[in-house]
Amino acid sequence: MKTILVTGGLGYIGSHTVVELLQNNFHVIIVDDMSNSEKFILDNIEKVAGKRPVFFPFDLKRKELLYQVFEAYEIDGCINFAAFKAVGESQEKPLDYYENNLFSLINILQEFKARNISNFIFSSSCTVYGQADQQPIDENTPLKMPESSYGKTKQMGEEILKDFATAYKKKVSLLRYFNPIGSHPTALLGELPIGVPNNLVPYVTQTASGIREKLSIWGNDYDTPDGTAVRDYVYVVDLAKAHVKALQKLMAENSDTVIDIYNLGTGKGSSVLEVVESFERANEVKVPYQICERRAGDITIAYANADKAERELGWKAETSLDEALRTTWEWQKYLESRK
Ligand code: UDP
């Protein structure tokens, strides 16, 4: 049985991926500082997967604690989710973002180097493409330095990993997520937005449940069919499965150095209004909204060409927008039942 370190394994995408790993017979060790999660997620992972991962609550900047984990376990690979991810906040606290997202990454890579471990999967983002000149976006689309410090940590993380793989002959996979949405079909795992959500789907969900009065749609004068901005919303469980496939591919590679890069999206763009309509249809609820000015820094359109992931990993996003949004609503009801 292979042992995988999952950093940020109690987070949104991390927790779903841990379940998939456990269900595929990996031994999982989670390191998570709980800065954006809660302990019940660990219990729920066990409920869903029937196994409890090993869990260490600490900040990955604590090198000495990380060292002890690597001493205690023979680790075969890492999926690195641990990162701050609030775009707006990153503009106010850039140093916190660089320190947290990059120091923790480097600390793990130092352990990998010292112990001759390979197989590293990095959570990247379609933010590395900025507003691409062409749609859909494939992996050869030129990168543009993102505006936010958050986005920059993703692009810098990718560069660090490319150098790491090349210099030390390691296998890495950079997974560029489009917009992850939805919750586990059991309604036991999902996103835990802290405070007022910035992302569209958590805001829509909280509006439908009455926590927020109205959704603000940031702009309806974009050059898109209905004027609202277009994104590629990919179901989180589909996304989680891609991690397992990317890991299995890395582990099966014979060459010393591998740098895999995959876009993970559905290949279909949906506008903000289409998301609202889909949510209302799937859940038979109303989402009151108002049209507002554009949000600073937002791009008009981004959707993936994910053919490479299908070709090389045998992965394809399978879940419809309606279905993904139905799971989100079930998760919201679960959260409210816990209060
Ligand atoms: N959006 C919106 N109202 C909100 C949150 C988001 O209209 O309260 C829009 C946002 O302008 C963008 C889309 O929804 O066009 C997706 O935004 P999100 O922040 O979820 O993802 P990202 O902008 O990073 O793609």
Side-chain angles (χ1 to χ4, degrees), residues 87 125-127 150 178-181 197-204 214-219 222 228-233 270-272 275 290 293-295 297-300 302:
V87 174
S125 162
C126 65
T127 188
Y150 158 77
F178 280 66
N179 290 53
I181 58 161
N198 285 307
N199 292 117
L200 177 62
V201 170
Y203 206 104
V204 165
K214 250 185 213 166
L215 168 73
S216 296
I217 294 185
W218 307 124
Y222 284 105
T228 62
V230 168
R231 300 285 186 275
D232 184 335
Y233 296 92
S270 304
S271 73
V272 178
V275 171
Q290 59 189 353
E293 293 291 303
R294 293 181 182 194
R295 183 170 71 177
D298 270 356
I299 56 169
T300 303

Side-chain angles (χ1 to χ4, degrees), residues 170-209:
K170 301 289 185 192
K171 299 189 267 187
V172 304
S173 196
L174 315 177
L175 303 183
R176 294 176 180 159
Y177 314 148
F178 280 66
N179 290 53
I181 58 161
S183 308
H184 199 269
T186 58
L188 290 170
L189 302 172
E191 192 168 9
L192 286 173
I194 293 177
V196 183
N198 285 307
N199 292 117
L200 177 62
V201 170
Y203 206 104
V204 165
T205 312
Q206 292 196 356
T207 305
S209 77

Side-chain angles (χ1 to χ4, degrees), residues 224-280:
T224 60
D226 66 22
T228 62
V230 168
R231 300 285 186 275
D232 184 335
Y233 296 92
V234 54
Y235 182 47
V236 67
V237 177
D238 288 338
L239 205 54
K241 289 181 176 156
H243 291 74
V244 177
K245 288 185 183 269
L247 180 65
Q248 286 166 332
K249 176 179 179 287
L250 279 191
M251 288 181 151
E253 289 281 358
N254 286 323
S255 39
D256 291 336
T257 305
V258 178
I259 302 171
D260 280 341
I261 301 180
Y262 298 107
N263 282 349
L264 300 178
T266 65
K268 186 176 172 299
S270 304
S271 73
V272 178
L273 278 172
E274 282 171 334
V275 171
V276 171
E277 283 158 16
S278 170
F279 192 95
E280 292 185 330

